[in-house]
Amino acid sequence: MSDTKDEWVPFTARRSEASLQEFTRLSDGVPPWLRESLWNWLSERMHKNALGNNGRWYRTPSEEKIRRAERVLKVSSGWTGDGDSHPDRVGGLSKFRAAIYQNQDAFLGAVDLALSELDPDDKACTSLEKILEEGTSAWRVGLVCGKPGLVERIDATVQLAAEATGALDPRAGRLLADAWKHAFSMNRDPSAAYRCAVRAVEAAAAPVISPNDTIPTLGKMISAFRSKPEKWNFSFKVDSATDPKSVLLGMIQILWTNEYSRHVDPDIKAPLHVSQEEAESAVVLALTLVNWFISGAISPDLRQGT
């Protein structure tokens, strides 16, 4: 839901601030009020045009799409037909519907799969986004590896900033996009998201901090910056409360040192992988750092030499 003050909301949500917050609270999965709308959208994507014996075209469920969805989502619909007839295909789609109605992850996965087969400017993407937004879904239509896909509904400003930052530098942008995909798409991989976030900052920071290093790492760049911070300019200036360069160094160190999944801790109780929350925080932190490095907010002080 948009946060504009003039947007209409039901009278029950206008009774109090608590009622409004409850009305606009995002819902994960497929809540009852979204189920039929999502199915109507998905069902249309799982049809095909077929030529009848009378020479006329008609719409019918696609056995290829039903079977592919079963394979990709690892969901059995129980449909044993061969799809040779329209009634058989209708029955197959009905069974597939029954299967995903019992599995919310599979339902969203089927929507995500159907989205991936569309062009980003397809009107079906817009219609689905409207359904998800009006239903206060925790998911929205975004881009995953350049294709439409479901991504977590986070602040739109942050999303736009990520896209704009990624467009400024091809290498850092690609890594940042991969980190975003692993952190916020349907197919999440927190450790991969964190790893890509670190690499995105390395790609953006290396030309500024370690331009002559053939194998630059964030660890080496941290050491270089800590040793002689005066060699670089930072758009923030020192004030009476804190040193901006110390804050910058701390931000880079937080990102670097908390990727504990790089090594196996001898403590058997230590986690082997970063959490989803840690991955999301790392990606948002990397977004800020990458933007600073590629925008020129952090630059070598030419008076100090390189």
Side-chain angles (χ1 to χ4, degrees), residues 7 14 39 52 108 113 131 153 199 240 248 259 277 288 304:
E7 182 172 348
R14 301 196 297 267
W39 173 252
L108 287 174
L113 177 62
I131 292 170
R153 187 177 296 279
R199 294 182 66 199
S240 59
L248 169 62
E259 194 195 359
E277 292 76 15
T288 298
Q304 299 292 330

Side-chain angles (χ1 to χ4, degrees), residues 87-100:
D88 185 30
R89 292 190 292 273
V90 170
L93 188 60
S94 178
K95 288 181 179 295
F96 180 74
R97 168 180 170 168
I100 64 173

Side-chain angles (χ1 to χ4, degrees), residues 119-167:
D119 291 327
D121 57 352
D122 195 304
K123 292 182 179 179
C125 296
T126 303
S127 65
L128 176 60
E129 174 55 26
K130 182 178 181 181
I131 292 170
L132 295 170
E133 183 181 21
E134 290 181 341
T136 60
S137 173
W139 299 94
R140 61 180 290 271
V141 177
L143 289 179
V144 180
C145 297
K147 296 181 179 180
L150 293 181
V151 297
E152 190 173 0
R153 187 177 296 279
I154 61 175
D155 184 86
T157 303
V158 177
Q159 175 73 35
L160 290 174
E163 294 174 358
T165 299

Side-chain angles (χ1 to χ4, degrees), residues 77-90:
S77 67
W79 177 42
T80 58
D82 54 18
D84 280 346
S85 68
H86 175 70
D88 185 30
R89 292 190 292 273
V90 170

